[in-house]
Amino acid sequence: MNPSDWISAYRLDSETVVELTNGLTDEQFNWKPSEKKWSIGECLEHLNITNGKMYVHINKGIQKAQKNGLKGEPPFKTGFIGRWFLKGSGPKGRPIPAPGIYRPASSDLSKKATVLAFRDIQSDYIELVELSDGLDLGKIMVRSAVTPLLRFNAATWFEAMKGHQERHFDQIRRLLSHDKFPKDNVDG
């Protein structure tokens, strides 16, 4: 796992979210195929919530590593459990219900504000990866925002974010191609 790959992925994801939502009205952005399924907006808001909550913990771990001089160079590795986590949270992982703290509170979201927040978080993560340059991201242990019992190294969390976003972009693409997706109200 290499930090330059994460930076490239976060930049690409920032552009992908614009491409996926370009021309959509707020109505389309919030359309759901059923009450139990998420809208495009809810997928992105979920990523905003997840990435925002994890940012706090990753940043804390990096600040502590800087203070303690925990130096290292890529590529960084993850253990067996970390590999299992990455496989499950990535695009080919089996869907599992999001923990309550990661669920969107509303399905009436502003496309403009949600997309802007997503792009801002990508910039924050790029800065965080750059700030971690020279640190051993394979040894910086970071807890989950859900529970302190779930801990992975910072490299695993950075990699998981990339895969998690890809997973939800695939979900958004499925929504956009859904046969009942409202296509006649596209913004010009």
Side-chain angles (χ1 to χ4, degrees), residues 13-29:
D13 289 352
S14 189
E15 295 307 315
T16 299
V17 76
V18 171
E19 291 169 12
L20 288 171
T21 61
N22 186 38
L24 296 180
T25 64
D26 278 352
E27 177 188 349
Q28 291 169 310
F29 189 70

Side-chain angles (χ1 to χ4, degrees), residues 47-180:
L47 291 173
N48 290 345
I49 293 166
T50 304
N51 295 343
K53 288 187 181 299
M54 281 310 305
Y55 177 89
V56 172
H57 295 286
I58 297 169
N59 187 38
K60 186 176 178 181
I62 287 171
Q63 297 294 330
K64 185 177 177 183
Q66 285 178 324
K67 183 179 173 186
N68 295 332
L70 188 60
K71 303 289 183 194
E73 295 296 324
F76 302 108
K77 295 186 185 327
T78 189
F80 173 76
I81 301 295
R83 284 190 301 277
W84 170 83
F85 178 74
L86 290 173
K87 185 178 178 184
S89 64
K92 293 186 168 116
R94 210 173 94 219
I96 59 169
I101 69 165
Y102 293 149
R103 289 189 196 135
S106 166
S107 61
D108 185 24
L109 298 159
S110 160
K111 178 185 90 168
K112 183 177 180 180
T114 306
V115 169
L116 181 61
F118 180 87
R119 297 187 82 202
D120 285 346
I121 291 170
Q122 300 309 294
S123 295
D124 291 345
Y125 269 87
I126 289 168
E127 288 177 17
L128 194 57
V129 172
E130 290 170 344
L131 179 69
S132 72
D133 186 40
L135 296 176
D136 191 340
L137 298 177
K139 291 187 179 167
I140 300 170
M141 297 308 292
V142 178
R143 65 160 279 186
S144 164
V146 175
T147 175
L149 300 176
L150 183 62
R151 298 171 54 85
F152 296 111
N153 65 37
T156 300
W157 287 116
F158 282 130
E159 186 74 15
M161 178 182 156
K162 181 177 75 133
H164 187 224
Q165 291 179 170
E166 290 172 21
R167 172 191 207 130
H168 286 290
F169 287 167
D170 287 346
Q171 184 178 0
I172 289 168
R173 288 180 186 99
R174 288 191 304 274
L175 285 165
L176 289 168
S177 65
H178 193 283
D179 60 346
K180 294 189 176 160

